[in-house]
Amino acid sequence: MKTTQDNTLYDVIISGAGPVGLFLACELALAKCKVLILERAEEPHSPLKQLPFGLRGLNSPSIEALYRRGLLQEMALHKRFKTPHISSNPKPGEKAPGAGHFARIPFNRANFDTTQWKYRLPGSLDTSIFTSMEEIEEVLYRRAENLGVAIKYGIGVTGFDQTDDCVTVQAGDQTFQSKWLVGCDGSRSVVRKAGGFEFAGTEPEFTGYTAKVDIADPEKLHTGGITTERGMYLLSQVDYLIMQDFDGGAFHNSGQPVTLEHVQATLRRISDTDVTITALHLSTTWTDRARQTTAYRNGRVLLAGDAAHIHAPLGGQGLNLGLGDAMNLGWKLAATIHGQAPEGLLDTYYTERYPIGAKVLDWSRAQVTIMKPNPHSQALNAIIRDLIDTRDGATYFAGRVMGLNMHYDLNGKHPMVGYSVPAIEFENGTSINNLMTDGKGVLLSFEDDSQLKSFADTNHLKYISGTAKETFGVKALLIRPDGFIAWATDSEADISELTEAAQRWFK
Ligand SMILES: Cc1cc2nc3c(=O)[nH]c(=O)nc-3n(C[C@H](O)[C@H](O)[C@H](O)COP(=O)(O)OP(=O)(O)OC[C@H]3O[C@@H](n4cnc5c(N)ncnc54)[C@H](O)[C@@H]3O)c2cc1C
C-alpha cells in the first residue's frame, strides 16, 4: 500500500470531531497550539444526531465552561429548552418545575436547600439546559475553524507509533505527525485500543432502545415511563419510544439489526399488550456497560470523553463528563507544549478527572440497580423515592445531577478551593465568566490591590479587580484557566500562601 505523508508537525492531533474532540481543539487553539482533528465520518452530521433523542442535557460545569469561552451565547436552541434558573423558585401556589431525575424519579426544585450550595449560587447562569448534539457540534466546529484548527473529515485513525519526541498517526494509507495525540474517538476508540489502555468495569444488565416509531394503537400503552415485571418502556407524545430490556445486553451485543418486528416483539413483551408498530423510522440501541480506562495517558497519547469512559446515558452525564475532560486537559496540555507547565501539571489531568469519571459510572450503576424489574430493586426504588422527596434528599440528588457539588481535591484551606468559580457579576455589568474568554489564569481582587496586581504581572496572570454585586465574603481568588478556584482568601492576602498555590498551576 502506498502511504502519503503530511509533513506538518502538529502540536496535537485529535482523533474524533465529536463534541469532546472539538471542544478540546478549541481550548488548545485558544492557547496557540497547532491542532489537527481527524474524523472518520465523511461529514459532520449523522441522522441520529439530528433527532430529538439527540438532545443532551448540559449541567452546571458544562454550562459554565461553554459560557466562559463565549460558546453558550452562540447556541440558539438553549433558549427554547432551558429549565428555569435555580434561584427562580416558584411563587406560592405555583407548581415547581421538575429539575432532573435519578433513575427516572424526579426531584422537585421547591425542595432544594440552596444554602448547601452557598459558594455556587446565586449566579446568573442556568443550572441545566438542553441542547442538541447537532447544535453543540456546529457551534464548536465553527469556533474551532475560526481559531485555525485543521479538521479533516473521512479520515479515520487506524493506529499510531510514538517515540519520546513525537507520535506518528496512521489513518489508512496516510500518516500524520504530532507532538501529542488525544483519542476523543468515542466509546469504541481506536486510540484506546491501539494504545493498550486497560478498560476496566462492569458488563451490561440491559439493552436500551431509542426509536422513532408510528404506533397504530398507542392507547394500549401508558404515556410516561412505566416499569413492568419484564422491563421499562417510555412513550413520548411525539412517537419516540425508549425501552430497557433486561437481557444482560444480549441483543445490543449480538450486532443484529434493529427491525420493526424486533422492536414490536420487545415492546409487546415488556408492556404485556398486543400493540402494533406500523413504521420504524429510526432506531438505536445502547447498554449500561460501565467502563473506564485505568490510565488517561500513555506517553504522548491521552484519552478524553467516551474514549476514556462509558456508562448508561441515564440522567445524561456522558457529554458533561467529556466536556469537563476537555476543559481540564486543554490548558494543561497547552502549557506543557509551550514549556510553561510546572512539574507534574499534565498528570493532574488524570488525578482530577479519573475520580470524577468513576463517580459518574457509579451513579449510573446505582440507577440501574433500582430500575431492575425485580422485587428487591423495586423495594429499594421505593425508599429512594421517599428520600428524594425530602429537602436534603432533593438537594443531594440535584447537587449531583446538576454538577453543583463537583469539585477537585486541590488541598486548599478555603472552602471555595477546588470548586468552579461562581458567576460573579460586577457593578459595571460584566461578569467573571465574560472575562475568561481568553483562557488565561486570573487573579481576582474585589478591591484594588497593588500588591496583588504586581503579583499577577510577575506571574503572567490576568489581574481583574472590581466591585462585585456578591463577594461571598471573599477578598481575592486565584482562578485557573478552566475556571476552578486554586486559592481564595477572606482577609488580606498571604503572599507566601498565594505563591505556593500559583506555583502549582503556573510557571
Ligand atoms: C441516547 C443517548 C442519550 C444521551 N444523552 C446525554 C445527555 O443528555 N447528557 C449527556 O451529558 N450525555 C448524554 N449522552 C452521552 C453523550 O452523547 C456522549 O457521552 C458524548 O457524545 C461523548 O462525546 P465524545 O466526543 O467523547 O464521543 P462521540 O460523540 O462518540 O464522538 C466521537 C467522534 O469520533 C469519531 N471517530 C470514531 N472513531 C474514529 C477514528 N478511528 N478516527 C477518527 N474519528 C473517529 C466519531 O465519528 C465521532 O464523531 C447520551 C448518549 C446516548 C447514546
Side-chain angles (χ1 to χ4, degrees):
M1 185 166 59
K2 191 169 172 294
T3 304
T4 41
Q5 192 175 333
D6 177 337
N7 288 323
T8 315
L9 175 64
Y10 295 93
D11 287 323
V12 185
I13 291 178
I14 295 173
S15 173
V20 177
L22 287 166
F23 191 35
L24 177 63
C26 291
E27 284 298 286
L28 289 163
L30 188 64
K32 308 270 179 283
C33 296
K34 193 173 179 57
V35 185
L36 168 68
I37 306 183
L38 298 175
E39 164 59 51
R40 187 171 57 190
E42 294 292 336
E43 37 107 18
H45 305 307
S46 88
L48 285 176
K49 287 180 178 173
Q50 290 164 37
L51 286 169
F53 59 78
L55 279 184
R56 297 293 184 267
L58 296 178
N59 68 8
S60 204
S62 301
I63 292 167
E64 288 169 338
L66 294 169
Y67 191 87
R68 255 165 220 154
R69 300 299 189 248
L71 289 158
L72 194 71
Q73 298 85 321
E74 285 182 29
M75 290 183 191
L77 263 186
H78 83 272
K79 294 197 182 82
R80 244 163 62 201
F81 293 107
K82 75 180 180 183
T83 53
H85 183 265
I86 203 162
S87 61
S88 55
N89 279 327
K91 298 187 182 72
E94 212 176 67
K95 194 170 178 289
H101 69 90
F102 178 79
R104 300 215 167 81
I105 307 170
F107 39 78
N108 188 334
R109 170 181 307 271
N111 283 338
F112 294 169
D113 173 8
T114 51
T115 60
Q116 293 188 30
W117 303 316
K118 71 173 180 168
Y119 289 118
R120 303 285 288 113
L121 302 169
S124 56
L125 290 180
D126 295 283
T127 43
S128 63
I129 280 174
F130 281 90
T131 184
S132 68
M133 278 291 270
E134 190 192 11
E135 177 175 55
I136 195 165
E137 287 187 358
E138 203 171 299
V139 167
L140 291 168
Y141 173 84
R142 260 203 316 265
R143 175 62 61 89
E145 263 208 323
N146 287 341
L147 287 167
V149 173
I151 308 178
K152 291 181 192 278
Y153 282 91
I155 300 184
V157 170
T158 47
F160 65 84
D161 289 312
Q162 64 168 315
T163 64
D164 287 346
D165 305 317
C166 77
V167 189
T168 303
V169 178
Q170 286 113 34
D173 58 357
Q174 303 184 56
T175 61
F176 302 86
Q177 287 219 314
S178 59
K179 295 176 191 160
W180 296 86
L181 168 66
V182 188
C184 298
D185 43 359
S187 56
R188 296 185 179 161
S189 170
V190 167
V191 174
R192 181 183 72 227
K193 289 173 191 160
F197 288 89
E198 188 188 346
F199 203 34
T202 48
E203 285 304 300
E205 300 277 351
F206 65 77
T207 294
Y209 297 80
T210 306
K212 180 166 166 49
V213 290
D214 290 342
I215 298 183
D217 39 11
E219 66 284 355
K220 290 181 176 166
L221 300 170
H222 290 263
T223 44
I226 178 141
T227 300
T228 71
E229 284 166 18
R230 295 156 297 277
M232 188 287 305
Y233 74 85
L234 186 156
L235 184 67
S236 79
Q237 283 149 352
V238 278
D239 299 337
Y240 285 94
L241 174 67
I242 295 175
M243 296 189 287
Q244 277 167 242
D245 184 13
F246 284 81
D247 64 350
F251 182 79
H252 176 87
N253 291 341
S254 72
Q256 290 176 54
V258 189
T259 60
L260 183 151
E261 292 70 28
H262 177 75
V263 173
Q264 177 173 278
T266 309
L267 179 59
R268 284 182 172 183
R269 180 164 45 77
I270 293 176
S271 64
D272 198 20
T273 65
D274 60 354
V275 63
T276 300
I277 295 180
T278 50
L280 176 68
H281 299 290
L282 267 170
S283 61
T284 184
T285 63
W286 38 278
T287 73
D288 57 316
R289 175 177 287 112
R291 290 188 178 270
Q292 187 178 18
T293 51
T294 53
Y296 282 13
R297 176 183 168 193
N298 173 1
R300 294 189 160 268
V301 180
L302 293 134
L303 299 175
D306 280 12
H309 36 70
I310 53 163
H311 57 86
L314 301 170
Q317 303 260 341
L319 173 62
N320 291 305
L321 195 53
L323 293 175
D325 289 349
M327 191 72 168
N328 189 287
L329 176 59
W331 67 280
K332 294 175 181 175
L333 185 54
T336 306
I337 287 164
H338 297 316
Q340 291 165 354
E343 179 79 29
L345 181 70
L346 195 54
D347 295 338
T348 66
Y349 167 55
Y350 172 76
T351 54
E352 289 177 8
R353 293 304 300 172
Y354 180 86
I356 304 281
K359 270 186 141 179
V360 170
L361 263 64
D362 276 347
W363 192 251
S364 149
R365 291 183 183 113
Q367 292 186 79
V368 174
T369 301
I370 65 161
M371 289 173 115
K372 286 196 217 169
N374 65 55
H376 295 82
S377 295
Q378 289 308 303
L380 191 54
N381 188 301
I383 293 169
I384 300 287
R385 223 167 254 279
D386 286 346
L387 288 175
I388 284 186
D389 246 359
T390 65
R391 196 163 163 77
D392 277 346
T395 311
Y396 171 79
F397 282 95
R400 293 278 306 255
V401 170
M402 293 177 179
L404 291 169
N405 298 348
M406 197 225 118
H407 70 284
Y408 300 129
D409 187 6
L410 304 186
N411 278 331
K413 282 193 196 148
H414 195 281
M416 282 179 105
V417 172
Y419 283 89
S420 176
V421 65
I424 293 165
E425 289 170 351
F426 298 101
E427 296 287 352
N428 68 4
T430 56
S431 82
I432 185 64
N433 285 319
N434 295 133
L435 296 168
M436 295 196 70
T437 46
D438 56 7
K440 301 258 189 301
V442 167
L443 187 55
L444 167 63
S445 174
F446 292 118
E447 288 159 17
D448 206 12
D449 184 323
S450 56
Q451 199 185 13
L452 289 183
K453 180 168 186 330
S454 92
F455 183 92
D457 290 345
T458 338
N459 290 280
H460 313 292
L461 293 164
K462 181 166 164 174
Y463 175 73
I464 298 173
S465 115
T467 314
K469 291 182 185 165
E470 161 75 80
T471 65
F472 303 88
V474 177
K475 276 208 154 44
L477 293 162
L478 175 65
I479 308 164
R480 306 192 316 190
D482 57 358
F484 282 78
I485 299 169
W487 169 89
T489 183
D490 292 346
S491 50
E492 201 177 320
D494 174 340
I495 294 294
S496 67
E497 201 184 275
L498 171 60
T499 307
E500 201 182 310
Q503 282 177 348
R504 206 170 151 202
W505 308 111
F506 306 102
K507 191 164 140 184

